[in-house]
Amino acid sequence: MTIKDTPEEWEIRSAETPFTGKKTSVRADDVVMPDGSVARRDYQVHPGSVAVLALDEEDRVLLINQYRHPVRHKLWEIPAGLLDVPGENPLHGAQRELYEEAHVKAEDWRVLTDVYTSPGGCDEAVRIFLARDLSEAEGERFEVEAEEADMQHARVPVDELVRRVLAGDVHNNCLVVGVLALVAARAGDGLDALRPADAPWPARPFAS
């Protein structure tokens, strides 16, 4: 048995979209099960996201602290954002988010990992990048608004972040997955063996 996720799509008898929001929507599908029965599956339709684990020369990860209303918490996170344009190259989106949220640029980009954040109830796919060789971005800072206007920044050593993850002190999925994937990559074939930044992404196909 090969342990690898594979694409598959079961028959949909009917579908409707009971809610459409600014960036996402809710879809309700009547899906035919293997025994022939039909079950309703409601889920959020999401454009996809990118996240950036930015690692500096002192082995610290760049973090932001932001209020997240659905969970009523201010969470420590890595820079991330939506893929607003269909077919957008995820690397371009990641570079944009790193600039807008941290006013930082990076010279070395790799794909750290790809994840579905909550596949039982949402089709969101996230590509998490590793960004190295960091420097201050040029020009004026991006003008932030809403929750981002209250954003704080920090740079935290990787070892400290691992301890915080395992202690249950930080909960953002991209931060948790990203920092543990970083440690696993180092313990395996090394960071330079990670996929290139333009590696194919079947979950969200993109133009080069």
Side-chain angles (χ1 to χ4, degrees):
M1 179 182 296
T2 301
I3 305 301
K4 182 178 181 179
D5 297 339
T6 55
E8 184 168 315
E9 187 166 355
W10 292 359
E11 179 187 351
I12 299 173
R13 287 282 172 84
S14 64
E16 59 183 62
T17 305
F19 171 79
T20 300
K22 183 178 179 181
K23 297 292 185 181
T24 67
S25 60
V26 172
R27 178 166 160 163
D29 291 346
D30 289 329
V31 185
V32 179
M33 299 290 110
D35 63 0
S37 63
V38 177
R40 172 62 60 96
R41 293 291 177 260
D42 303 323
Y43 60 98
Q44 181 186 23
V45 178
H46 194 285
S49 305
V50 288
V52 184
L53 193 146
L55 188 67
D56 70 13
E57 68 282 354
E58 297 180 37
D59 206 41
R60 300 175 303 174
V61 176
L62 191 157
L63 300 183
I64 59 175
N65 185 250
Q66 186 173 348
Y67 176 66
R68 294 301 189 182
H69 185 70
V71 296
R72 308 303 198 270
H73 271 72
K74 289 190 74 173
L75 299 180
W76 286 104
E77 307 177 350
I78 56 177
L82 298 176
L83 291 170
D84 297 308
V85 181
E88 180 181 15
N89 188 311
L91 174 60
H92 299 164
Q95 291 169 333
R96 179 187 65 241
E97 294 301 329
L98 185 60
Y99 162 72
E100 291 182 358
E101 296 192 346
H103 200 66
V104 166
K105 63 180 181 179
E107 299 301 324
D108 187 286
W109 291 83
R110 309 275 174 154
V111 175
L112 191 52
T113 191
D114 300 323
V115 296
Y116 290 116
T117 55
S118 183
C122 180
D123 72 349
E124 180 184 14
V126 181
R127 169 156 281 188
I128 304 176
F129 288 91
L130 172 65
R132 294 180 291 175
D133 194 4
L134 309 181
S135 61
E136 188 82 2
E138 300 172 354
E140 295 183 1
R141 286 185 172 272
F142 182 77
E143 187 174 345
V144 297
E145 59 183 11
E147 291 94 342
E148 293 182 350
D150 189 48
M151 187 182 293
Q152 296 174 290
H153 296 82
R155 296 196 181 201
V156 180
V158 171
D159 290 346
E160 174 65 16
L161 275 181
V162 171
R163 287 192 291 270
R164 294 293 181 182
V165 167
L166 299 179
D169 293 334
V170 293
H171 306 87
N172 174 262
N173 58 352
C174 290
L175 170 58
V176 171
V177 171
V179 72
L180 296 184
L182 173 71
V183 172
R186 283 176 164 173
D189 295 331
L191 300 185
D192 290 336
L194 290 168
R195 286 174 291 163
D198 60 352
W201 189 18
R204 292 293 185 271
F206 60 91
S208 59

PDB file of all heavy atoms in Angstrom, residues 19 23-29 41-49 82 115-126 173 201 203-204:
ATOM      1  N   PHE A  19     -25.163  30.272   0.844  1.00  0.00           N
ATOM      2  CA  PHE A  19     -24.554  31.517   1.327  1.00  0.00           C
ATOM      3  C   PHE A  19     -23.334  31.844   0.480  1.00  0.00           C
ATOM      4  O   PHE A  19     -22.512  30.987   0.192  1.00  0.00           O
ATOM      5  CB  PHE A  19     -24.129  31.378   2.792  1.00  0.00           C
ATOM      6  CG  PHE A  19     -23.298  32.544   3.284  1.00  0.00           C
ATOM      7  CD1 PHE A  19     -23.888  33.741   3.641  1.00  0.00           C
ATOM      8  CD2 PHE A  19     -21.914  32.438   3.354  1.00  0.00           C
ATOM      9  CE1 PHE A  19     -23.117  34.820   4.067  1.00  0.00           C
ATOM     10  CE2 PHE A  19     -21.138  33.506   3.778  1.00  0.00           C
ATOM     11  CZ  PHE A  19     -21.750  34.705   4.139  1.00  0.00           C
ATOM     12  N   LYS A  23     -15.358  36.586   0.360  1.00  0.00           N
ATOM     13  CA  LYS A  23     -14.238  35.775  -0.123  1.00  0.00           C
ATOM     14  C   LYS A  23     -14.559  34.282  -0.188  1.00  0.00           C
ATOM     15  O   LYS A  23     -13.933  33.547  -0.945  1.00  0.00           O
ATOM     16  CB  LYS A  23     -13.016  35.969   0.787  1.00  0.00           C
ATOM     17  CG  LYS A  23     -12.471  37.388   0.811  1.00  0.00           C
ATOM     18  CD  LYS A  23     -11.859  37.787  -0.526  1.00  0.00           C
ATOM     19  CE  LYS A  23     -11.222  39.166  -0.437  1.00  0.00           C
ATOM     20  NZ  LYS A  23     -10.641  39.581  -1.741  1.00  0.00           N
ATOM     21  N   THR A  24     -15.500  33.826   0.611  1.00  0.00           N
ATOM     22  CA  THR A  24     -15.828  32.407   0.654  1.00  0.00           C
ATOM     23  C   THR A  24     -17.336  32.234   0.550  1.00  0.00           C
ATOM     24  O   THR A  24     -18.103  33.195   0.634  1.00  0.00           O
ATOM     25  CB  THR A  24     -15.323  31.755   1.954  1.00  0.00           C
ATOM     26  OG1 THR A  24     -16.057  32.285   3.067  1.00  0.00           O
ATOM     27  CG2 THR A  24     -13.836  32.004   2.151  1.00  0.00           C
ATOM     28  N   SER A  25     -17.745  30.990   0.379  1.00  0.00           N
ATOM     29  CA  SER A  25     -19.172  30.672   0.319  1.00  0.00           C
ATOM     30  C   SER A  25     -19.405  29.330   0.995  1.00  0.00           C
ATOM     31  O   SER A  25     -18.462  28.626   1.370  1.00  0.00           O
ATOM     32  CB  SER A  25     -19.657  30.631  -1.134  1.00  0.00           C
ATOM     33  OG  SER A  25     -18.969  29.649  -1.872  1.00  0.00           O
ATOM     34  N   VAL A  26     -20.670  28.974   1.159  1.00  0.00           N
ATOM     35  CA  VAL A  26     -21.044  27.678   1.711  1.00  0.00           C
ATOM     36  C   VAL A  26     -21.798  26.905   0.636  1.00  0.00           C
ATOM     37  O   VAL A  26     -22.709  27.439  -0.005  1.00  0.00           O
ATOM     38  CB  VAL A  26     -21.922  27.822   2.971  1.00  0.00           C
ATOM     39  CG1 VAL A  26     -22.453  26.456   3.407  1.00  0.00           C
ATOM     40  CG2 VAL A  26     -21.138  28.470   4.094  1.00  0.00           C
ATOM     41  N   ARG A  27     -21.392  25.667   0.433  1.00  0.00           N
ATOM     42  CA  ARG A  27     -22.027  24.819  -0.580  1.00  0.00           C
ATOM     43  C   ARG A  27     -22.627  23.599   0.104  1.00  0.00           C
ATOM     44  O   ARG A  27     -22.065  23.072   1.070  1.00  0.00           O
ATOM     45  CB  ARG A  27     -20.999  24.397  -1.631  1.00  0.00           C
ATOM     46  CG  ARG A  27     -21.544  23.472  -2.687  1.00  0.00           C
ATOM     47  CD  ARG A  27     -20.622  23.360  -3.874  1.00  0.00           C
ATOM     48  NE  ARG A  27     -20.908  22.143  -4.650  1.00  0.00           N
ATOM     49  CZ  ARG A  27     -20.491  21.949  -5.901  1.00  0.00           C
ATOM     50  NH1 ARG A  27     -19.782  22.881  -6.513  1.00  0.00           N
ATOM     51  NH2 ARG A  27     -20.786  20.819  -6.523  1.00  0.00           N
ATOM     52  N   ALA A  28     -23.763  23.155  -0.412  1.00  0.00           N
ATOM     53  CA  ALA A  28     -24.431  21.962   0.091  1.00  0.00           C
ATOM     54  C   ALA A  28     -24.574  20.973  -1.064  1.00  0.00           C
ATOM     55  O   ALA A  28     -25.247  21.261  -2.057  1.00  0.00           O
ATOM     56  CB  ALA A  28     -25.795  22.307   0.666  1.00  0.00           C
ATOM     57  N   ASP A  29     -23.903  19.820  -0.948  1.00  0.00           N
ATOM     58  CA  ASP A  29     -23.935  18.787  -1.980  1.00  0.00           C
ATOM     59  C   ASP A  29     -24.645  17.545  -1.456  1.00  0.00           C
ATOM     60  O   ASP A  29     -24.433  17.129  -0.313  1.00  0.00           O
ATOM     61  CB  ASP A  29     -22.512  18.374  -2.385  1.00  0.00           C
ATOM     62  CG  ASP A  29     -21.767  19.465  -3.135  1.00  0.00           C
ATOM     63  OD1 ASP A  29     -22.410  20.437  -3.571  1.00  0.00           O
ATOM     64  OD2 ASP A  29     -20.539  19.326  -3.283  1.00  0.00           O
ATOM     65  N   ARG A  41     -23.708  16.974   2.357  1.00  0.00           N
ATOM     66  CA  ARG A  41     -22.431  17.445   2.867  1.00  0.00           C
ATOM     67  C   ARG A  41     -22.344  18.951   2.662  1.00  0.00           C
ATOM     68  O   ARG A  41     -22.348  19.440   1.536  1.00  0.00           O
ATOM     69  CB  ARG A  41     -21.257  16.736   2.154  1.00  0.00           C
ATOM     70  CG  ARG A  41     -21.162  15.239   2.452  1.00  0.00           C
ATOM     71  CD  ARG A  41     -20.762  14.984   3.893  1.00  0.00           C
ATOM     72  NE  ARG A  41     -20.719  13.562   4.238  1.00  0.00           N
ATOM     73  CZ  ARG A  41     -21.681  12.914   4.879  1.00  0.00           C
ATOM     74  NH1 ARG A  41     -22.779  13.575   5.261  1.00  0.00           N
ATOM     75  NH2 ARG A  41     -21.557  11.637   5.169  1.00  0.00           N
ATOM     76  N   ASP A  42     -22.303  19.687   3.775  1.00  0.00           N
ATOM     77  CA  ASP A  42     -22.172  21.143   3.747  1.00  0.00           C
ATOM     78  C   ASP A  42     -20.721  21.511   4.010  1.00  0.00           C
ATOM     79  O   ASP A  42     -20.106  20.968   4.924  1.00  0.00           O
ATOM     80  CB  ASP A  42     -23.052  21.796   4.828  1.00  0.00           C
ATOM     81  CG  ASP A  42     -24.515  21.413   4.696  1.00  0.00           C
ATOM     82  OD1 ASP A  42     -24.987  21.283   3.554  1.00  0.00           O
ATOM     83  OD2 ASP A  42     -25.172  21.242   5.741  1.00  0.00           O
ATOM     84  N   TYR A  43     -20.188  22.444   3.224  1.00  0.00           N
ATOM     85  CA  TYR A  43     -18.795  22.833   3.439  1.00  0.00           C
ATOM     86  C   TYR A  43     -18.525  24.232   2.907  1.00  0.00           C
ATOM     87  O   TYR A  43     -19.253  24.750   2.064  1.00  0.00           O
ATOM     88  CB  TYR A  43     -17.837  21.823   2.784  1.00  0.00           C
ATOM     89  CG  TYR A  43     -17.996  21.656   1.284  1.00  0.00           C
ATOM     90  CD1 TYR A  43     -17.169  22.326   0.390  1.00  0.00           C
ATOM     91  CD2 TYR A  43     -18.974  20.815   0.769  1.00  0.00           C
ATOM     92  CE1 TYR A  43     -17.312  22.168  -0.977  1.00  0.00           C
ATOM     93  CE2 TYR A  43     -19.127  20.646  -0.598  1.00  0.00           C
ATOM     94  CZ  TYR A  43     -18.293  21.318  -1.467  1.00  0.00           C
ATOM     95  OH  TYR A  43     -18.441  21.164  -2.830  1.00  0.00           O
ATOM     96  N   GLN A  44     -17.471  24.822   3.444  1.00  0.00           N
ATOM     97  CA  GLN A  44     -17.051  26.149   3.010  1.00  0.00           C
ATOM     98  C   GLN A  44     -16.197  26.026   1.755  1.00  0.00           C
ATOM     99  O   GLN A  44     -15.274  25.220   1.696  1.00  0.00           O
ATOM    100  CB  GLN A  44     -16.242  26.833   4.120  1.00  0.00           C
ATOM    101  CG  GLN A  44     -15.781  28.238   3.770  1.00  0.00           C
ATOM    102  CD  GLN A  44     -14.865  28.828   4.825  1.00  0.00           C
ATOM    103  OE1 GLN A  44     -14.240  28.094   5.587  1.00  0.00           O
ATOM    104  NE2 GLN A  44     -14.778  30.135   4.869  1.00  0.00           N
ATOM    105  N   VAL A  45     -16.519  26.835   0.757  1.00  0.00           N
ATOM    106  CA  VAL A  45     -15.728  26.900  -0.467  1.00  0.00           C
ATOM    107  C   VAL A  45     -14.731  28.048  -0.310  1.00  0.00           C
ATOM    108  O   VAL A  45     -15.122  29.192  -0.043  1.00  0.00           O
ATOM    109  CB  VAL A  45     -16.613  27.117  -1.695  1.00  0.00           C
ATOM    110  CG1 VAL A  45     -15.764  27.237  -2.965  1.00  0.00           C
ATOM    111  CG2 VAL A  45     -17.606  25.963  -1.837  1.00  0.00           C
ATOM    112  N   HIS A  46     -13.448  27.751  -0.463  1.00  0.00           N
ATOM    113  CA  HIS A  46     -12.381  28.690  -0.118  1.00  0.00           C
ATOM    114  C   HIS A  46     -11.416  28.826  -1.289  1.00  0.00           C
ATOM    115  O   HIS A  46     -11.100  27.837  -1.960  1.00  0.00           O
ATOM    116  CB  HIS A  46     -11.641  28.157   1.115  1.00  0.00           C
ATOM    117  CG  HIS A  46     -10.742  29.126   1.788  1.00  0.00           C
ATOM    118  ND1 HIS A  46      -9.515  29.495   1.272  1.00  0.00           N
ATOM    119  CD2 HIS A  46     -10.874  29.821   2.943  1.00  0.00           C
ATOM    120  CE1 HIS A  46      -8.937  30.361   2.087  1.00  0.00           C
ATOM    121  NE2 HIS A  46      -9.733  30.573   3.107  1.00  0.00           N
ATOM    122  N   PRO A  47     -10.894  30.025  -1.559  1.00  0.00           N
ATOM    123  CA  PRO A  47     -10.006  30.204  -2.715  1.00  0.00           C
ATOM    124  C   PRO A  47      -8.612  29.618  -2.528  1.00  0.00           C
ATOM    125  O   PRO A  47      -7.862  29.482  -3.493  1.00  0.00           O
ATOM    126  CB  PRO A  47      -9.925  31.723  -2.863  1.00  0.00           C
ATOM    127  CG  PRO A  47     -10.165  32.249  -1.484  1.00  0.00           C
ATOM    128  CD  PRO A  47     -11.175  31.306  -0.881  1.00  0.00           C
ATOM    129  N   GLY A  48      -8.253  29.262  -1.303  1.00  0.00           N
ATOM    130  CA  GLY A  48      -6.899  28.782  -1.034  1.00  0.00           C
ATOM    131  C   GLY A  48      -6.056  29.863  -0.383  1.00  0.00           C
ATOM    132  O   GLY A  48      -6.371  31.058  -0.453  1.00  0.00           O
ATOM    133  N   SER A  49      -4.975  29.450   0.262  1.00  0.00           N
ATOM    134  CA  SER A  49      -4.133  30.377   1.011  1.00  0.00           C
ATOM    135  C   SER A  49      -2.664  30.016   0.861  1.00  0.00           C
ATOM    136  O   SER A  49      -2.326  28.902   0.455  1.00  0.00           O
ATOM    137  CB  SER A  49      -4.494  30.350   2.505  1.00  0.00           C
ATOM    138  OG  SER A  49      -5.850  30.606   2.728  1.00  0.00           O
ATOM    139  N   LEU A  82      -4.928  35.048   1.626  1.00  0.00           N
ATOM    140  CA  LEU A  82      -5.707  34.371   0.602  1.00  0.00           C
ATOM    141  C   LEU A  82      -5.050  34.478  -0.765  1.00  0.00           C
ATOM    142  O   LEU A  82      -4.325  35.438  -1.048  1.00  0.00           O
ATOM    143  CB  LEU A  82      -7.104  34.989   0.522  1.00  0.00           C
ATOM    144  CG  LEU A  82      -7.994  34.910   1.760  1.00  0.00           C
ATOM    145  CD1 LEU A  82      -9.293  35.666   1.503  1.00  0.00           C
ATOM    146  CD2 LEU A  82      -8.276  33.466   2.127  1.00  0.00           C
ATOM    147  N   VAL A 115      -1.082  21.599   2.867  1.00  0.00           N
ATOM    148  CA  VAL A 115      -2.076  20.997   3.757  1.00  0.00           C
ATOM    149  C   VAL A 115      -3.484  21.427   3.373  1.00  0.00           C
ATOM    150  O   VAL A 115      -3.692  22.492   2.785  1.00  0.00           O
ATOM    151  CB  VAL A 115      -1.827  21.376   5.240  1.00  0.00           C
ATOM    152  CG1 VAL A 115      -0.520  20.824   5.735  1.00  0.00           C
ATOM    153  CG2 VAL A 115      -1.882  22.885   5.439  1.00  0.00           C
ATOM    154  N   TYR A 116      -4.457  20.565   3.694  1.00  0.00           N
ATOM    155  CA  TYR A 116      -5.871  20.951   3.752  1.00  0.00           C
ATOM    156  C   TYR A 116      -6.154  21.267   5.212  1.00  0.00           C
ATOM    157  O   TYR A 116      -5.942  20.424   6.088  1.00  0.00           O
ATOM    158  CB  TYR A 116      -6.773  19.811   3.282  1.00  0.00           C
ATOM    159  CG  TYR A 116      -6.698  19.516   1.794  1.00  0.00           C
ATOM    160  CD1 TYR A 116      -6.215  18.297   1.330  1.00  0.00           C
ATOM    161  CD2 TYR A 116      -7.136  20.446   0.864  1.00  0.00           C
ATOM    162  CE1 TYR A 116      -6.158  18.013  -0.031  1.00  0.00           C
ATOM    163  CE2 TYR A 116      -7.083  20.181  -0.497  1.00  0.00           C
ATOM    164  CZ  TYR A 116      -6.591  18.967  -0.939  1.00  0.00           C
ATOM    165  OH  TYR A 116      -6.534  18.703  -2.283  1.00  0.00           O
ATOM    166  N   THR A 117      -6.653  22.468   5.490  1.00  0.00           N
ATOM    167  CA  THR A 117      -6.774  22.889   6.885  1.00  0.00           C
ATOM    168  C   THR A 117      -7.880  22.161   7.640  1.00  0.00           C
ATOM    169  O   THR A 117      -7.722  21.835   8.816  1.00  0.00           O
ATOM    170  CB  THR A 117      -7.036  24.397   6.974  1.00  0.00           C
ATOM    171  OG1 THR A 117      -8.190  24.726   6.185  1.00  0.00           O
ATOM    172  CG2 THR A 117      -5.844  25.185   6.464  1.00  0.00           C
ATOM    173  N   SER A 118      -9.004  21.890   6.978  1.00  0.00           N
ATOM    174  CA  SER A 118     -10.124  21.225   7.653  1.00  0.00           C
ATOM    175  C   SER A 118     -10.962  20.496   6.611  1.00  0.00           C
ATOM    176  O   SER A 118     -12.076  20.909   6.295  1.00  0.00           O
ATOM    177  CB  SER A 118     -10.981  22.255   8.407  1.00  0.00           C
ATOM    178  OG  SER A 118     -12.012  21.634   9.122  1.00  0.00           O
ATOM    179  N   PRO A 119     -10.445  19.398   6.043  1.00  0.00           N
ATOM    180  CA  PRO A 119     -11.080  18.783   4.879  1.00  0.00           C
ATOM    181  C   PRO A 119     -12.459  18.180   5.128  1.00  0.00           C
ATOM    182  O   PRO A 119     -13.162  17.867   4.167  1.00  0.00           O
ATOM    183  CB  PRO A 119     -10.072  17.700   4.467  1.00  0.00           C
ATOM    184  CG  PRO A 119      -9.286  17.406   5.705  1.00  0.00           C
ATOM    185  CD  PRO A 119      -9.195  18.715   6.428  1.00  0.00           C
ATOM    186  N   GLY A 120     -12.851  18.050   6.378  1.00  0.00           N
ATOM    187  CA  GLY A 120     -14.197  17.566   6.660  1.00  0.00           C
ATOM    188  C   GLY A 120     -15.263  18.638   6.503  1.00  0.00           C
ATOM    189  O   GLY A 120     -16.451  18.317   6.391  1.00  0.00           O
ATOM    190  N   GLY A 121     -14.843  19.911   6.486  1.00  0.00           N
ATOM    191  CA  GLY A 121     -15.846  20.964   6.410  1.00  0.00           C
ATOM    192  C   GLY A 121     -15.451  22.151   5.564  1.00  0.00           C
ATOM    193  O   GLY A 121     -16.200  23.131   5.493  1.00  0.00           O
ATOM    194  N   CYS A 122     -14.292  22.086   4.912  1.00  0.00           N
ATOM    195  CA  CYS A 122     -13.816  23.218   4.123  1.00  0.00           C
ATOM    196  C   CYS A 122     -12.843  22.691   3.070  1.00  0.00           C
ATOM    197  O   CYS A 122     -12.083  21.758   3.341  1.00  0.00           O
ATOM    198  CB  CYS A 122     -13.121  24.236   5.029  1.00  0.00           C
ATOM    199  SG  CYS A 122     -12.470  25.693   4.190  1.00  0.00           S
ATOM    200  N   ASP A 123     -12.864  23.300   1.864  1.00  0.00           N
ATOM    201  CA  ASP A 123     -11.935  22.841   0.826  1.00  0.00           C
ATOM    202  C   ASP A 123     -10.674  23.694   0.765  1.00  0.00           C
ATOM    203  O   ASP A 123      -9.923  23.617  -0.206  1.00  0.00           O
ATOM    204  CB  ASP A 123     -12.628  22.796  -0.546  1.00  0.00           C
ATOM    205  CG  ASP A 123     -12.901  24.171  -1.135  1.00  0.00           C
ATOM    206  OD1 ASP A 123     -12.748  25.190  -0.426  1.00  0.00           O
ATOM    207  OD2 ASP A 123     -13.280  24.242  -2.331  1.00  0.00           O
ATOM    208  N   GLU A 124     -10.402  24.467   1.829  1.00  0.00           N
ATOM    209  CA  GLU A 124      -9.212  25.319   1.828  1.00  0.00           C
ATOM    210  C   GLU A 124      -7.938  24.482   1.731  1.00  0.00           C
ATOM    211  O   GLU A 124      -7.746  23.522   2.473  1.00  0.00           O
ATOM    212  CB  GLU A 124      -9.139  26.165   3.094  1.00  0.00           C
ATOM    213  CG  GLU A 124      -7.907  27.070   3.109  1.00  0.00           C
ATOM    214  CD  GLU A 124      -7.737  27.853   4.400  1.00  0.00           C
ATOM    215  OE1 GLU A 124      -8.409  27.516   5.396  1.00  0.00           O
ATOM    216  OE2 GLU A 124      -6.943  28.809   4.404  1.00  0.00           O
ATOM    217  N   ALA A 125      -7.074  24.855   0.797  1.00  0.00           N
ATOM    218  CA  ALA A 125      -5.743  24.276   0.674  1.00  0.00           C
ATOM    219  C   ALA A 125      -4.734  25.372   0.955  1.00  0.00           C
ATOM    220  O   ALA A 125      -4.897  26.509   0.503  1.00  0.00           O
ATOM    221  CB  ALA A 125      -5.531  23.703  -0.729  1.00  0.00           C
ATOM    222  N   VAL A 126      -3.695  25.047   1.717  1.00  0.00           N
ATOM    223  CA  VAL A 126      -2.669  26.025   2.069  1.00  0.00           C
ATOM    224  C   VAL A 126      -1.305  25.494   1.661  1.00  0.00           C
ATOM    225  O   VAL A 126      -0.967  24.339   1.954  1.00  0.00           O
ATOM    226  CB  VAL A 126      -2.653  26.336   3.581  1.00  0.00           C
ATOM    227  CG1 VAL A 126      -1.581  27.374   3.900  1.00  0.00           C
ATOM    228  CG2 VAL A 126      -4.009  26.841   4.043  1.00  0.00           C
ATOM    229  N   ASN A 173      -2.786  26.869  12.850  1.00  0.00           N
ATOM    230  CA  ASN A 173      -2.391  25.632  12.165  1.00  0.00           C
ATOM    231  C   ASN A 173      -1.163  25.804  11.285  1.00  0.00           C
ATOM    232  O   ASN A 173      -0.301  24.915  11.224  1.00  0.00           O
ATOM    233  CB  ASN A 173      -3.568  25.046  11.364  1.00  0.00           C
ATOM    234  CG  ASN A 173      -4.128  26.002  10.338  1.00  0.00           C
ATOM    235  OD1 ASN A 173      -3.764  27.173  10.289  1.00  0.00           O
ATOM    236  ND2 ASN A 173      -5.030  25.508   9.509  1.00  0.00           N
ATOM    237  N   TRP A 201       1.216  22.188  -7.669  1.00  0.00           N
ATOM    238  CA  TRP A 201       0.294  22.129  -6.531  1.00  0.00           C
ATOM    239  C   TRP A 201      -1.074  21.719  -7.067  1.00  0.00           C
ATOM    240  O   TRP A 201      -1.874  22.581  -7.413  1.00  0.00           O
ATOM    241  CB  TRP A 201       0.250  23.475  -5.830  1.00  0.00           C
ATOM    242  CG  TRP A 201      -0.478  23.494  -4.529  1.00  0.00           C
ATOM    243  CD1 TRP A 201      -0.803  22.440  -3.730  1.00  0.00           C
ATOM    244  CD2 TRP A 201      -0.970  24.668  -3.847  1.00  0.00           C
ATOM    245  NE1 TRP A 201      -1.454  22.863  -2.598  1.00  0.00           N
ATOM    246  CE2 TRP A 201      -1.564  24.228  -2.643  1.00  0.00           C
ATOM    247  CE3 TRP A 201      -0.943  26.016  -4.136  1.00  0.00           C
ATOM    248  CZ2 TRP A 201      -2.153  25.109  -1.746  1.00  0.00           C
ATOM    249  CZ3 TRP A 201      -1.515  26.902  -3.245  1.00  0.00           C
ATOM    250  CH2 TRP A 201      -2.116  26.460  -2.058  1.00  0.00           C
ATOM    251  N   ALA A 203      -3.786  20.835  -5.794  1.00  0.00           N
ATOM    252  CA  ALA A 203      -4.966  21.357  -5.088  1.00  0.00           C
ATOM    253  C   ALA A 203      -5.370  22.741  -5.577  1.00  0.00           C
ATOM    254  O   ALA A 203      -6.544  23.104  -5.550  1.00  0.00           O
ATOM    255  CB  ALA A 203      -4.695  21.400  -3.589  1.00  0.00           C
ATOM    256  N   ARG A 204      -4.388  23.522  -6.025  1.00  0.00           N
ATOM    257  CA  ARG A 204      -4.654  24.864  -6.553  1.00  0.00           C
ATOM    258  C   ARG A 204      -3.707  25.097  -7.741  1.00  0.00           C
ATOM    259  O   ARG A 204      -2.672  25.755  -7.601  1.00  0.00           O
ATOM    260  CB  ARG A 204      -4.433  25.944  -5.486  1.00  0.00           C
ATOM    261  CG  ARG A 204      -5.436  25.924  -4.326  1.00  0.00           C
ATOM    262  CD  ARG A 204      -6.840  26.289  -4.812  1.00  0.00           C
ATOM    263  NE  ARG A 204      -7.779  26.400  -3.714  1.00  0.00           N
ATOM    264  CZ  ARG A 204      -8.502  25.377  -3.216  1.00  0.00           C
ATOM    265  NH1 ARG A 204      -8.344  24.160  -3.719  1.00  0.00           N
ATOM    266  NH2 ARG A 204      -9.358  25.561  -2.239  1.00  0.00           N
TER     267      ARG A 204
END
